[in-house]
Amino acid sequence: MSESQNKPWSGVFDGETDPRVEKFTESVSFDHRLTTQDIRGSSAHARMLAKTGVLTDRECQQIVEGLEQIGNQIAEGTFVFRQELEDIHMNIERALIDQIGDVGRKLHTGRSRNDQVSTDFRLWIRDAIDRLDDLLVDLQRAFVSRCRRDADVILPGYTHLQRAQPVLANHYWLAYCEKLERDRTRLSDCRARVNHLPLGTAALAGTTIPIDRQMVADELGFEEVVANSLDSSSDRDFAIEYCFVLTLIAEHLSTWAEEWILWSTCEFNFLTLPQAYCTGSSIMPQKINPDVLELTRGKTARVVGNLQSLLVLVKGLPLAYNRDLQEDKERVFDSAETVEACVTLAAAVVAGAELNREAIAERLERGYLDATTLMEYLIGLGIPQRTAHGIIGNLVALAMKKSVPLAELSLEEFQAASPLLDKKVYDILGVERAIEAFSSYGSTAPTEVAKQVGMWQERLGI
Ligand code: ARG
């Protein structure tokens, strides 16, 4: 008989569920994270049912107060979760019925777990997006805060990890700010699509019960009400999109981490990492390892994996709800938690690292970082770009043979390469002069970078 099994759905069943199936199908071990959202959603649903006359005001009040108490018990850790009740939603509902009696059995009127789960999950992701956005701003602040102390530092810029052209350290800090800014806009675009209310679409087809979905949307802060019940009960694209944005953030942090792992080596020696964010070796006493950076890079793998799992999960699911969709939550929770931790620690590492100015400056004239500036100087004298490229290539080859920087070639050697060159050539040679020669918008030109730094400082209130 149904009630013996203690399941809300057991009316049609005449036997017990195999305990292994209960273990296999449960989700409360992870979806308990939706507690706050479930209580918010259910309270809004109850108030709406009172407004449409399905519940009396008294019943609504009993339900809302009961839910609040259950929320407190869960927060305090005194609530006993029951695996046989499958998920957080049925655990809360059963506790409500135990607490307030038959009135609690009315809460689920006009809704299904399908739209309830999707509502709770959207609320959770919305909160997580807002939390992450704050963390991203903190990380941007960490980058921009460096601009005052590092304004005079020039770094070698790389392509193919080969020395290419010089860049200001501040140009480098702002490069990451821009990437994070795009991540923030992606989060906010994603938030707009997350922020549609599915509640009231019920199992898949809607309901015959009088409901007011707009009222629930207004109470829960949803911008729109999902227009098609079949669509919303089958859909997880909002969660996948969120995981995609998380993946791009993780990718940005991973490239940064890789770069700083290299930069903190003896070989590069560009920076010293804050020791609070490093760990040592159990055998080699001298080791100070960049583990936070390595794990930031390493954890990106699981964030990518979670996105892939979700994409494969929904592939080929017929409309509408399928139990497969329960597998979405752990992937999303894990990616959110991982990326939040990475962003938080990144801000601390960025703030605490020291650029090794002397070591950087000592080797700055290596690698012909001024060669492209010299080529552009020749172009300015009327030589076609392809011709100028060849001439400077020959000059670099000559300097390499002599193991000197370009600035140490003689005027005769420059004039042999191109008679248009005179002693003014020395005004743009050397990394510092080469930096000064830049002028285009978005370049590493000191005036342009100073404008960008000012803009960022103002934007972030630094
Ligand atoms: N815990 C499930 C989930 O997260 C609840 C949905 C169950 N719905 C159903 N029709 N059996 O997807």
Side-chain angles (χ1 to χ4, degrees):
M1 146 68 202
S2 59
E3 289 296 310
S4 71
Q5 244 204 312
N6 257 333
K7 309 259 193 250
W9 40 257
S10 51
V12 73
F13 286 76
D14 62 6
E16 302 282 316
T17 309
D18 185 320
R20 289 172 300 184
V21 171
E22 289 181 337
K23 185 161 184 272
F24 187 70
T25 56
E26 71 87 25
S27 57
V28 69
S29 59
F30 50 87
D31 65 18
H32 64 85
R33 288 181 180 78
L34 299 176
T35 295
T36 320
Q37 290 76 15
D38 196 66
I39 286 173
R40 265 159 79 194
S42 287
S43 305
H45 182 69
R47 279 192 269 270
M48 178 278 289
L49 291 177
K51 181 180 163 230
T52 61
V54 177
L55 296 178
T56 65
D57 287 344
R58 172 84 194 110
E59 288 170 333
C60 170
Q61 194 190 352
Q62 277 176 280
I63 288 174
V64 171
E65 284 172 10
L67 287 170
E68 199 184 314
Q69 277 178 30
I70 293 164
N72 292 339
Q73 287 160 15
I74 295 176
E76 288 157 10
T78 54
F79 188 89
V80 182
F81 291 104
R82 288 162 58 188
Q83 187 181 73
E84 71 274 18
L85 291 175
E86 281 187 24
D87 56 25
I88 184 64
H89 320 288
M90 297 211 291
N91 267 274
I92 291 177
E93 189 186 325
R94 173 59 57 88
L96 182 72
I97 294 165
D98 289 348
Q99 205 160 302
I100 65 171
D102 268 356
V103 176
R105 304 177 80 90
K106 295 188 175 184
L107 172 62
H108 211 50
T109 311
R111 75 174 185 186
S112 138
R113 257 186 306 156
N114 297 349
D115 53 343
Q116 185 183 359
V117 169
S118 172
T119 302
D120 294 358
F121 204 26
R122 284 171 186 262
L123 284 172
W124 190 92
I125 292 177
R126 204 177 71 183
D127 291 344
I129 286 175
D130 295 343
R131 229 172 24 236
L132 182 57
D133 191 58
D134 288 346
L135 295 176
L136 289 174
V137 173
D138 289 345
L139 179 52
Q140 286 183 313
R141 276 181 210 283
F143 279 116
V144 174
S145 296
R146 299 212 52 126
C147 290
R148 277 204 183 92
R149 57 173 147 147
D150 300 331
D152 56 335
V153 179
I154 300 174
L155 297 168
Y158 293 83
T159 61
H160 314 270
L161 201 56
Q162 302 286 331
R163 288 196 167 206
Q165 290 187 282
V167 291
L168 292 175
N170 282 357
H171 197 48
Y172 172 83
W173 301 133
L174 295 190
Y176 280 104
C177 265
E178 295 285 349
K179 290 180 198 297
L180 295 170
E181 189 62 16
R182 283 195 301 284
D183 291 333
R184 293 189 59 217
T185 61
R186 265 186 284 269
L187 268 183
S188 108
D189 291 349
C190 167
R191 190 188 195 281
R193 277 178 288 277
V194 168
N195 208 18
H196 293 189
L197 174 78
L199 202 64
T201 58
L204 76 163
T207 176
T208 60
I209 307 283
I211 57 173
D212 180 348
R213 299 182 62 208
Q214 190 57 50
M215 177 183 166
V216 178
D218 291 342
E219 176 165 343
L220 296 175
F222 282 100
E223 265 323 304
E224 277 182 45
V225 173
V226 174
N228 184 305
S229 59
L230 271 181
D231 170 33
S232 73
S233 62
S234 61
D235 160 63
R236 285 296 182 271
D237 57 24
F238 64 91
I240 298 175
E241 186 179 357
Y242 168 59
C243 276
F244 168 69
V245 178
L246 291 176
T247 306
L248 276 187
I249 296 170
E251 293 284 356
H252 282 152
L253 294 186
S254 187
T255 60
W256 161 77
E258 164 67 9
E259 198 161 67
W260 278 33
I261 290 166
L262 287 171
W263 284 16
S264 63
T265 58
C266 231
E267 286 69 18
F268 266 88
N269 195 24
F270 281 7
L271 53 81
T272 305
L273 295 170
Q275 290 201 354
Y277 302 93
C278 295
T279 65
S281 155
S282 55
I283 175 166
M284 297 167 283
Q286 86 285 12
K287 295 299 294 291
I288 301 175
N289 294 326
D291 300 45
V292 168
L293 295 175
E294 290 169 291
L295 281 170
T296 297
R297 185 179 57 187
K299 283 175 189 290
T300 299
R302 65 201 274 167
V303 178
V304 173
N306 287 338
L307 174 63
Q308 177 155 7
S309 293
L310 289 177
L311 289 167
V312 178
L313 179 69
V314 298
K315 172 190 162 299
L317 288 186
L319 300 192
Y321 178 83
N322 296 275
R323 191 62 180 266
D324 312 45
L325 293 178
Q326 178 171 292
E327 286 287 308
D328 59 0
K329 275 160 223 77
E330 284 163 291
R331 309 282 80 80
V332 170
F333 294 149
D334 183 66
S335 284
E337 206 172 287
T338 304
V339 172
E340 283 173 32
C342 290
V343 175
T344 305
L345 285 174
V349 173
V350 168
E354 278 304 327
L355 283 178
N356 299 337
R357 292 151 172 267
E358 278 168 27
I360 294 167
E362 241 167 50
R363 288 170 293 157
L364 205 55
E365 293 300 340
R366 292 192 206 165
Y368 303 98
L369 295 166
D370 49 358
T372 308
T373 312
L374 178 58
M375 179 194 73
E376 291 182 348
Y377 176 74
L378 257 193
I379 293 169
L381 298 178
I383 311 254
Q385 193 270 346
R386 288 288 166 229
T387 313
H389 189 286
I391 293 170
I392 306 304
N394 290 337
L395 280 169
V396 170
L398 175 66
M400 283 167 87
K401 208 151 76 196
K402 299 175 75 175
S403 296
V404 293
L406 285 169
E408 283 177 32
L409 292 178
S410 68
L411 187 56
E412 292 70 43
E413 284 165 325
F414 280 117
Q415 286 181 331
S418 168
L420 290 178
L421 291 171
D422 58 25
K423 66 176 185 341
K424 284 205 285 282
V425 72
Y426 295 105
D427 294 346
I428 48 116
L429 287 176
V431 167
E432 272 185 37
R433 293 193 194 87
I435 276 271
E436 293 292 336
F438 283 97
S439 58
S440 61
Y441 172 77
S443 74
T444 199
T447 48
E448 289 298 320
V449 173
K451 274 189 232 163
Q452 295 285 332
V453 169
M455 187 272 292
W456 275 105
Q457 286 172 332
E458 196 179 305
R459 197 191 281 191
L460 298 173
I462 291 174

